[in-house]
Amino acid sequence: MVCYYYLTPIWGVDMKKAFKKKILNRMNYLIGHLEGVKKMIENDKYCIDIILQNEAVISALKKVNEMILENHLNTCVTQAIKNKNEKERKKKIKELLELFKKK
């Protein structure tokens, strides 16, 4: 996460480590959850139960994306605006627009 390394007034080094740890913990949880769903499929569990667990994984992954996006807005985007570099600012806005067009 490149944005993670930007230095801004609102993020100290310890906060960056804490944020990264929080994201990695959530990702490890998701990996475990996916392994559980895989086992459900292997063990021929009820389809609706599998779908419900898949939806839980999707929801948790969306939450990770929200956290990363919030971090991106508070670091990269904020930095681009503060630097008054028009080219960089336009690039960051374009990236965000492209991200939301995909949804």
Side-chain angles (χ1 to χ4, degrees):
M1 291 185 338
V2 174
C3 299
Y4 170 80
Y5 295 102
Y6 272 92
L7 292 176
T8 65
I10 59 172
W11 290 91
V13 174
D14 291 337
M15 280 299 292
K16 289 180 184 181
K17 287 180 182 179
F19 175 76
K20 186 175 182 178
K21 183 178 180 181
K22 193 174 192 178
I23 293 295
L24 290 173
N25 285 343
R26 284 180 178 263
M27 293 303 292
N28 287 329
Y29 168 80
L30 280 164
I31 290 167
H33 201 147
L34 279 172
E35 286 294 326
V37 174
K38 181 181 172 190
K39 286 179 185 175
M40 289 176 72
I41 294 167
E42 292 169 347
N43 295 326
D44 297 321
K45 296 296 180 182
Y46 187 55
C47 296
I48 298 300
D49 292 338
I50 294 169
I51 291 169
L52 289 172
Q53 290 305 310
N54 280 339
E55 290 297 323
V57 169
I58 291 167
S59 178
L61 192 54
K62 284 181 180 181
K63 179 61 179 171
V64 169
N65 279 347
E66 288 172 11
M67 293 169 66
I68 293 170
L69 177 60
E70 180 180 5
N71 179 66
H72 181 66
L73 292 170
N74 285 321
T75 56
C76 289
V77 176
T78 300
Q79 192 69 31
I81 292 168
K82 284 182 178 180
N83 282 342
K84 299 184 182 181
N85 180 333
E86 187 175 348
K87 184 178 179 182
E88 187 67 19
R89 184 172 54 244
K90 285 181 178 182
K91 178 183 173 190
K92 296 301 176 194
I93 291 170
K94 183 179 178 184
E95 288 173 348
L96 290 171
L97 289 172
E98 291 298 319
L99 177 69
F100 286 100
K101 284 180 186 177
K102 291 179 182 180
K103 291 187 176 205

